[in-house]
Amino acid sequence: MKWLPRLNETANFESPIPLERPPQLPTRRKRDRDREERIRLAGGPKPSLREKAYAFARERATVRTCDFTALGIPRHYLAWMCEEGLLVKVAYGVYRAAEREAA
């Protein structure tokens, strides 16, 4: 193996460092593939609790906390949605949907 060329020679180095391979994507597990297939066949993913709560509030003028709880939406979601601007707290335990502007 030559490291330095002599006079009247061209440098012909052999690289001891292996070339990097492109990173391989991790293979998906069978259960993940099966789950994606079930969701696809069922017509897509179900709406989230946030989407359910917002749609429910849009249907009615005012909604009480107990109405959301009856749908299975936790009360702390209501505070989060008020912070995000999706719901407006009208009174203690009473909410309405915020008027959203079109983009």
Side-chain angles (χ1 to χ4, degrees), residues 18-31:
L19 298 176
E20 293 183 23
R21 296 183 197 164
Q24 285 187 334
L25 297 175
T27 57
R28 292 188 351 237
R29 295 181 286 195
K30 183 180 182 313
R31 68 177 180 189

Side-chain angles (χ1 to χ4, degrees), residues 49-60 68 81 97:
L49 290 177
R50 178 177 313 192
E51 292 169 350
K52 283 183 186 178
Y54 186 66
F56 185 68
R58 296 276 310 215
E59 291 173 3
R60 301 170 178 238
F68 285 117
M81 292 176 70

Side-chain angles (χ1 to χ4, degrees), residues 52-53 56-57 60-75 78 93-95:
K52 283 183 186 178
F56 185 68
R60 301 170 178 238
T62 58
V63 187
R64 298 181 303 162
T65 306
C66 64
D67 298 330
F68 285 117
T69 308
L71 286 175
I73 299 164
R75 291 186 311 228
L78 305 178
V94 180
Y95 298 88

Side-chain angles (χ1 to χ4, degrees), residues 54 58 98-103:
Y54 186 66
R58 296 276 310 215
E99 297 300 323
R100 309 253 327 205
E101 296 178 7

